[in-house]
Amino acid sequence: MEHTKADIIFKDFWRSNERFADLFNVVVFGGKEVIKPDALHEMDTDVSGIIQLKDYKETLSRTRDVIKKTAYGVEFVVLGIESQQHIHYAMPLRHMVYDAMSLF
C-alpha cells in the first residue's frame, strides 16, 4: 500500500524554481525565458482572513498550493499554481477569493 498523497507530491514538484519558471515560460510566454528561476521567491501560501460586516464576523481559512513572486524593477509579479485532479468549474471563483483575501 502506498502512503503518499498526490497533492503533497504536486506541491513538492512545483516548488522547484526551475520547473515553476519553465511552466510559465512555456505556457504563458510561448517558450521565451521571461521568468528567471533564480529571481523567484516562495511566498506564504496561507491567505486566511476575516470577513466582518457590522455585527457579522466569519473567519475563512484558505491555503494556496504553490505561490511565488519575482521583481521587475520596482514592480512585483505574483504567480501561483493550484492542483486539480478533476474538473472544477468554480476554480476561477476560488482563485478570485484567494486573491481578494490576500489584499487584506
Side-chain angles (χ1 to χ4, degrees):
M1 180 184 269
E2 196 170 313
H3 297 283
T4 60
K5 292 185 178 183
D7 192 49
I8 294 170
I9 292 171
F10 171 87
K11 290 176 187 180
D12 187 58
F13 180 84
W14 289 112
R15 278 195 184 106
S16 160
N17 284 354
E18 289 75 20
R19 289 185 193 121
F20 193 93
D22 282 347
L23 175 69
F24 279 91
N25 287 330
V26 169
V27 174
V28 178
F29 301 109
K32 184 177 176 186
E33 188 180 12
V34 174
I35 307 295
K36 308 286 187 205
D38 58 333
L40 289 171
H41 303 282
E42 197 158 334
M43 293 180 62
D44 185 5
T45 58
D46 182 2
V47 290
S48 300
I50 300 171
I51 296 175
Q52 186 172 355
L53 300 166
K54 295 183 183 178
D55 296 333
Y56 176 80
K57 185 187 282 189
E58 183 174 341
T59 59
L60 297 172
S61 178
R62 299 291 186 268
T63 305
R64 296 188 110 161
D65 285 345
V66 180
I67 187 164
K68 295 182 183 264
K69 72 177 177 180
T70 187
Y72 289 96
V74 295
E75 297 177 353
F76 286 97
V77 177
V78 177
L79 306 163
I81 299 175
E82 291 295 324
S83 172
Q84 263 188 266
Q85 291 184 351
H86 306 286
I87 294 173
H88 190 311
Y89 293 105
M91 188 58 89
L93 179 60
R94 185 171 153 188
H95 278 274
M96 288 174 27
V97 169
Y98 287 163
D99 291 342
M101 289 178 66
S102 65
L103 295 175
F104 294 111

